[in-house]
Amino acid sequence: MIRIDDLTVRFGSAIAVDGFNLQVAVGESFGLVGESGSGKSTVLRTVMGLNRDWSGDIRISDIDVRKDRRQDLVHIAQMVFQDPYASLHPRYTIGEAIAEPMRINRIPDASGRTIELLEMIGLTAEHRFRFPHELSGGQRQRVAIARALSLSPRVLLLDEPTSALDVSVQAEILNLLNRLRRELNLTFVIVSHDLAVISYMCDRLMVMQNARSVETLTREQLRAGDMQSDYTRTLFKASHRHLKTV
Ligand code: ADP
Ligand code: MG
């Protein structure tokens, strides 16, 4: 579903991602972990065509991110950001926010589909008249997910999707995402600094450090503590107690 070959991303003279490779299968849920600044968000944003200065090859389904139009890409892949408050316009109602990508892309019956999406993510048709500040943090993130699903993409790129939420709400959102992945046969790439989240959500994961990939593990290897690098082992130890609780 996703294939990245030898991706390097620069911001001026700084290299944010260096010689990065990734392959994610159809229907797989893949995790990216690593400390702040290691390049995780930059990988996702570059896949979505949001960075200019990069080299390498990025393919999603039959889209070549360098050559094909962004308009084609948004039907295949969508991104969900950490902070739904920042990603939802304060003056747009929830219904307008969800319908906007459909209107831009001339999808018929955007209103009917908006109600369908609201129900799919556990809200009701009535919620479409509310504004973002009239929802809880968890509800706002549900809306951001509904908006990301509005063009029926096959891939969701999720950047710290629960990091801004209360712990009690995090599990609800993760369970919602798992259900949606099953029901809609989606492929996920999930960025998180939290190994417990990755262990719960992902079949495989990659550990990043200083713009580079350190290693790739299966969920079973992660849970068994079966890892190659000292760096991954340190991350694992720091979160091990928490991992056992999920
Ligand atoms: P992570 O998501 O793993 O915390 P990022 O991908 O956000 O890391 O950042 C990787 C590196 O790229 C960091 O050094 C960061 O400061 C830099 N960076 C990210 N976005 C920009 C930008 N728009 N302009 C300049 N530098 C950036
Ligand atoms: Mg980030």
Side-chain angles (χ1 to χ4, degrees):
M1 192 73 216
I2 303 173
R3 185 182 172 121
I4 301 178
D5 290 307
D6 199 20
L7 174 66
T8 295
V9 186
R10 291 185 175 78
F11 293 108
S13 58
I15 294 183
V17 173
D18 191 5
F20 182 91
N21 299 294
L22 177 67
Q23 288 184 35
V24 181
V26 174
E28 191 177 13
S29 175
F30 191 92
L32 274 183
V33 292
E35 64 201 3
S36 178
S38 55
K40 307 180 298 294
S41 298
T42 300
V43 169
L44 297 195
R45 293 176 57 83
T46 307
V47 169
M48 287 310 297
L50 299 174
N51 285 320
R52 293 191 165 272
D53 190 2
W54 59 277
S55 61
D57 247 335
I58 304 177
R59 285 170 193 274
I60 305 190
S61 188
D62 53 355
I63 301 281
D64 179 330
V65 171
R66 183 179 303 287
K67 296 194 185 117
D68 292 325
R69 299 181 320 148
R70 199 178 140 68
Q71 223 43 33
D72 296 328
L73 174 66
V74 295
H75 289 275
I76 303 283
Q78 284 283 333
M79 192 155 164
V80 173
F81 298 90
Q82 171 174 345
D83 181 0
Y85 215 34
S87 63
L88 294 173
H89 194 291
R91 289 181 196 277
Y92 282 10
T93 63
I94 298 312
E96 287 165 340
I98 294 174
E100 189 190 26
M102 295 187 276
R103 298 203 198 284
I104 291 171
N105 288 278
R106 300 176 200 284
I107 306 289
D109 191 25
S111 317
R113 171 99 177 118
T114 296
I115 294 172
E116 225 175 80
L117 284 159
L118 279 166
E119 288 168 353
M120 192 188 291
I121 49 94
L123 296 178
T124 65
E126 295 307 307
H127 282 100
R128 69 192 188 283
F129 304 116
R130 301 221 199 149
F131 287 91
H133 72 268
E134 297 173 314
L135 299 184
S136 69
Q139 288 175 327
R140 277 196 294 269
Q141 193 59 306
R142 285 173 193 267
V143 170
I145 292 166
R147 181 179 151 98
L149 291 174
S150 64
L151 298 179
S152 307
R154 302 182 62 198
V155 176
L156 284 189
L157 306 175
L158 300 141
D159 194 351
E160 305 271 7
T162 59
S163 302
L165 303 174
D166 291 345
V167 176
S168 60
V169 183
Q170 286 184 7
E172 275 177 31
I173 298 294
L174 296 178
N175 289 333
L176 168 68
L177 287 169
N178 275 335
R179 174 169 69 75
L180 292 169
R181 184 163 73 93
R182 264 197 322 274
E183 289 177 4
L184 304 174
N185 196 21
L186 296 167
T187 302
F188 282 178
V189 179
I190 306 177
V191 161
S192 179
H193 63 273
D194 186 342
L195 275 180
V197 168
I198 295 294
S199 164
Y200 185 60
M201 299 294 291
C202 299
D203 311 312
R204 290 191 302 142
L205 65 141
M206 179 188 283
V207 180
M208 289 187 72
Q209 183 188 24
N210 295 334
R212 290 179 158 272
S213 161
V214 175
E215 65 181 306
T216 301
L217 300 168
T218 62
R219 184 201 323 248
E220 290 68 34
Q221 285 174 314
L222 174 68
R223 290 186 173 172
D226 175 15
M227 44 217 29
Q228 300 297 315
S229 80
D230 290 340
Y231 179 70
T232 309
R233 213 164 288 123
T234 309
L235 275 187
F236 178 70
K237 278 189 186 136
S239 63
H240 192 220
R241 199 156 20 121
H242 190 35
L243 259 185
K244 282 189 168 161
T245 65
V246 296

